[in-house]
Amino acid sequence: MVATLPDLLRLLVVPVFAWAAIRDVRTRRLPNRLWPPLYLFGALLLVWEAASLWPFAGFDGRIFLVRAAISLLFVAPLGYAFWYLGAFGGADAKAMIALAVVFPTFPAYEVGGATLPLVGTQLGVFSLTILTNTVLIGLAYPVGLAALNLVRGEVSSSMFLARPVATDSLPDRHGRLFEEPEGPTRGGLDLDALRMYLRWRGLTLADLRADPDGLRDPASVGETFDPTDGGTHVGPRTDGGRAVDDAVPDGGRAVEDANAADAADADPEVDDPWAAERFLDDIDHGAYGTDAATLRDGLDVVAHEDSVLVSPGMPFVVPMAVGLVVSLTYGDALFALLGAVGLV
């Protein structure tokens, strides 16, 4: 393999993104400390290459400056803009910014007589190629989900976006409910918010399903606990050294709560069912955009249905990691596609 030393060093980013993709699938959480070293690493490589082209008098120097400027001043801010508009998670935006800093221009690797990437672009901004490849790979996800539903005989209008799963499996899943009591919806309860609510009450999902009528009464809420961030990576919460299940032996209703004994007999038409508003007021941060009505609808569904529709979603870092590998080997898939139909 023949390449410049900065381009060879850039390959170290590939295993980092592979690890990030695997962790994102498992936990939907990536540590913030992952990104600053990548920013610094990319900046050092950029300075290294700029110093080798100084004083930018020739064509190569000027085109390097243009491509680096597009990557740093357009692609990187685009990641922040996507996050601001709600299209990206925070980790997705940080990952995109890292790629914009590390890969501003096309690298070149001589392997077995071939030069990789195979397909370049006229613009030559490599981070933009990674982004377009990522989008193309991400578009394949709903097609794959639909194929999986078709194999299972689950044909519906939502088969490209959601799939039915056992309700009891929700504590270990990521995604969003795709239904409410009235039927399918795209704005259902986030499963991380569901876990936050259960941890706040000291309940398991099994507890909730065992006594939905009693627990729907806000008077059944006694002692409450740290809701965490709702991630599946968080272990059992403790209070004074006691596990939550031990601290709240009656399924989330504190034993000293005098009103709890009457919860099962309470009028179902009560103010603040499930104590949803109290939960959202109690926590010191948001619950993934969840409002009280969405929380109540989601709890009503998971409390009574044995199977629910869930939109699993796809962490953008996963297709981004695949897009990085495709970009380094094949190159720009969109540019090749447009060339095949005579548009470029």
Side-chain angles (χ1 to χ4, degrees):
M1 178 183 292
V2 178
T4 66
L5 188 52
D7 282 349
L8 287 174
L9 290 174
R10 286 184 170 100
L11 295 179
L12 295 174
V13 173
V14 175
V16 175
F17 267 79
W19 175 85
I22 293 170
R23 180 180 171 89
D24 212 11
V25 168
R26 291 176 176 174
T27 69
R28 292 298 201 275
R29 301 293 187 280
L30 290 175
N32 286 326
R33 65 179 180 275
L34 175 65
W35 309 113
L38 290 182
Y39 301 154
L40 179 60
F41 178 64
L44 290 174
L45 293 179
L46 192 60
V47 171
W48 184 342
E49 287 187 320
S52 69
L53 293 170
W54 179 262
F56 310 119
F59 174 80
D60 288 344
R62 290 194 296 270
I63 200 67
F64 169 81
L65 284 180
V66 170
R67 290 168 175 170
I70 293 173
S71 188
L72 297 177
L73 302 179
F74 174 72
V75 179
L78 196 62
Y80 175 81
F82 285 160
W83 168 79
Y84 184 80
L85 295 172
F88 269 6
D92 301 329
K94 293 169 185 175
M96 186 170 167
I97 293 170
L99 290 175
V101 176
V102 177
F103 290 102
T105 61
F106 263 73
Y109 305 98
E110 298 290 337
V111 183
T115 301
L116 303 180
L118 298 175
V119 180
T121 67
Q122 294 175 351
L123 186 60
V125 180
F126 194 63
S127 58
L128 199 56
T129 287
I130 298 172
L131 177 60
T132 57
N133 283 345
T134 297
V135 171
L136 290 175
I137 292 167
L139 290 175
Y141 179 70
V143 176
L145 185 59
L148 180 62
N149 281 328
L150 187 61
V151 168
R152 294 177 174 178
E154 302 288 346
V155 180
S156 68
S157 59
S158 60
M159 62 186 295
F160 286 88
L161 301 171
R163 64 189 180 98
V165 301
T167 303
D168 291 340
S169 70
L170 294 183
D172 298 318
R173 292 186 181 275
H174 297 282
R176 182 178 297 274
L177 288 180
F178 212 72
E179 61 180 288
E180 56 188 7
E182 291 75 24
T185 178
R186 295 192 180 188
L189 178 63
D190 190 292
L191 297 185
D192 283 354
L194 172 63
R195 277 184 287 271
M196 288 177 64
Y197 174 82
L198 292 174
R199 290 168 183 169
W200 176 73
R201 292 196 66 169
L203 290 169
T204 64
L205 183 59
D207 296 331
L208 187 88
R209 290 171 54 77
D211 185 19
D213 293 334
L215 296 174
R216 192 174 188 273
D217 190 328
S220 66
V221 179
E223 184 180 7
T224 58
F225 303 89
D226 180 2
T228 76
D229 67 354
T232 57
H233 65 294
V234 179
R237 307 303 300 172
T238 59
D239 182 72
R242 301 168 297 165
V244 165
D245 289 342
D246 296 331
V248 193
D250 59 338
R253 287 165 287 178
V255 293
E256 68 270 19
D257 188 347
N259 296 324
D262 300 325
D265 300 323
D267 183 351
E269 297 301 326
V270 294
D271 290 335
D272 194 19
W274 296 108
E277 290 183 5
R278 176 181 167 186
F279 162 69
L280 294 173
D281 289 341
D282 240 18
I283 60 178
D284 57 2
H285 51 82
Y288 304 95
T290 300
D291 57 25
T294 301
L295 179 56
R296 291 181 188 122
D297 286 344
L299 291 170
D300 285 339
V301 169
V302 301
H304 296 99
E305 301 295 334
D306 293 329
S307 176
V308 293
L309 282 174
V310 169
S311 179
M314 170 59 74
F316 202 66
V317 170
V318 176
M320 199 178 292
V322 178
L324 173 59
V325 174
V326 171
S327 301
L328 287 167
T329 52
Y330 179 75
D332 197 299
L334 179 61
F335 195 80
L337 180 62
L338 294 176
V341 297
L343 294 179
V344 293

